[in-house]
Amino acid sequence: MIEEEAVVAGVEAGGRVWVEKPRRSACGSCAQPCGTAGIAEWFGQTTARLAVLSPSDLELRVGDRVVVGITEEALVMGSLGAYLLPLLGLLVGAVLGKTLAVGLAGFPADAAAAVGGFAGLGGTIAFLRQARVLSRRELQPVVLRKIS
């Protein structure tokens, strides 16, 4: 279980809670000047707002500090859905587009590969949205406990 502290920003019926957490730069643990730290400093610190599930036995109010957790399985599934599957759709679409263009005389293969790649990417994203693979309850982040 991966855990992070957050602050309750809103409470809804049905066990759903909105939490906010300041976003941190991907780095910042060292004193070396780099591009990532410079970009993070330029954009300033913003907050991330996220809807999480809350157990019914916790009475939460706006402003409460909580620990939010997500399973490792959910993190891996989210990464696959957000990065790997769309990339595979793009590559498969590009290869199919180029293969079809070779069969059609006079059609530019690079243009067909680009069109096929975009079609594969769009099709994969549409499939993920329609199938709601990442919306399963067991893959959602949850409030683990309230910090007193």
Side-chain angles (χ1 to χ4, degrees):
M1 180 75 63
I2 300 167
E3 300 179 0
E4 279 289 330
E5 287 186 24
V7 176
V8 175
V11 179
E12 294 181 0
R16 192 164 131 175
V17 178
W18 288 91
V19 296
E20 287 184 346
K21 180 174 180 349
R23 288 187 182 170
R24 291 182 291 186
S25 168
C27 79
S29 59
C30 68
Q32 297 293 328
C34 69
T36 304
I39 290 171
E41 184 179 315
W42 189 69
F43 279 111
Q45 190 176 28
T46 60
T47 59
R49 189 175 181 130
L50 180 67
V52 298
L53 302 174
S54 175
S56 59
D57 60 342
L58 278 179
E59 289 193 28
L60 298 174
R61 291 186 302 262
V62 175
D64 286 345
R65 290 181 46 222
V66 294
V67 175
V68 177
I70 189 167
T71 64
E72 287 85 1
E73 177 192 2
L75 184 64
V76 170
M77 291 293 290
S79 298
L80 287 175
Y83 299 109
L84 184 62
L85 293 179
L87 179 63
L88 287 176
L90 176 88
L91 292 175
V92 168
V95 169
L96 286 175
K98 186 169 185 170
T99 303
L100 290 175
V102 170
L104 300 172
F107 198 78
D110 290 342
V115 169
F118 284 124
L121 176 64
T124 304
I125 292 172
F127 167 75
L128 288 172
R129 284 182 178 239
Q130 184 67 29
R132 298 180 190 248
V133 174
L134 303 176
S135 297
R136 295 190 334 224
R137 190 168 181 85
E138 63 269 10
L139 299 179
Q140 297 297 312
V142 295
V143 174
L144 298 175
R145 62 188 171 274
K146 187 176 175 179
I147 301 173
S148 54

